[in-house]
Amino acid sequence: MGYIGNFFVSIDQLGNVIAGGNPDNTISSRVGYYTNHHNIMNKAPWQWRVFEKIIDFTFWPIDGPNHCHEAFHSDAGESFDENTNNILVALLATILIIPSCIAICIVLYTLYLFRIVSPRKINRNQDIKERLQQAQAKLNGTLHELNEHKVNIDEALKTEALSTVMSAQNISDKITGMLNLKQRVNQK
């Protein structure tokens, strides 16, 4: 992402912080989290579903459908604010999301009308490859820290380490299974 893209993401993250969110998340990824991955009985609270519709509509000319859910995938390794405050969520909507989306929507749909922008095509393989590279870099950083500093292993750290190993094994198993299936299909 270039300078301008990074600039707008940082503004987005600042808006999320003002509304009580994690500084590493954008508003879109936070909305994607609450509507798709942190809901009770598979039903997200109405305000998050409304935010998702507004934001997805706004960014359709450049990102296509499901902008918020795709943003969550990009931030899925981050921590989300589990105990979000409804007052801050109301602030998020009235001061940040709705006015910003109106302005952005006018610009993006005008650019789309003149065929200056178009919805991007998602390259799932490339996206997953980049996320795996980022995960590997974080794990390598953790390995450097473990090698450089004395760390007292307690039960909580042991549990996190085992959970990380299990997640990595699940990803490896999934990719291996997909490769094996592809190989069997190609042999027929």
Side-chain angles (χ1 to χ4, degrees), residues 27 69 82 85 167 185:
I27 293 169
H69 196 199
E82 297 289 336
N85 180 313
S167 292
V185 167

Side-chain angles (χ1 to χ4, degrees), residues 108-120:
L108 291 181
Y109 277 85
T110 300
L111 293 172
Y112 177 74
L113 253 165
F114 289 104
R115 300 195 188 309
I116 296 171
V117 299
S118 63
R120 74 180 178 100

Side-chain angles (χ1 to χ4, degrees), residues 77-113:
E78 302 293 340
S79 297
F80 288 86
D81 49 308
E82 297 289 336
N83 299 314
T84 194
N85 180 313
N86 284 334
I87 293 170
L88 292 175
V89 171
L91 176 73
L92 176 68
T94 56
I95 295 176
L96 297 172
I97 291 178
I98 295 170
S100 300
C101 283
I102 290 170
I104 293 167
C105 198
I106 291 168
V107 170
L108 291 181
Y109 277 85
T110 300
L111 293 172
Y112 177 74
L113 253 165

Side-chain angles (χ1 to χ4, degrees), residues 153-172:
I153 305 296
D154 60 10
E155 283 303 311
L157 182 57
K158 182 180 176 184
T159 299
E160 284 301 317
L162 291 174
S163 178
T164 301
V165 168
M166 286 176 49
S167 292
Q169 186 61 53
N170 288 339
I171 291 169
S172 178

Side-chain angles (χ1 to χ4, degrees), residues 46-61:
W46 68 269
Q47 67 270 27
W48 295 105
R49 293 191 316 266
V50 169
F51 296 163
E52 181 179 49
K53 293 212 181 305
I54 292 169
I55 295 169
D56 282 353
F57 178 81
T58 299
F59 288 95
W60 181 87

Side-chain angles (χ1 to χ4, degrees), residues 9-23:
V9 166
S10 69
I11 291 172
D12 192 351
Q13 290 173 320
L14 175 62
N16 192 44
V17 169
I18 291 168
N22 182 324

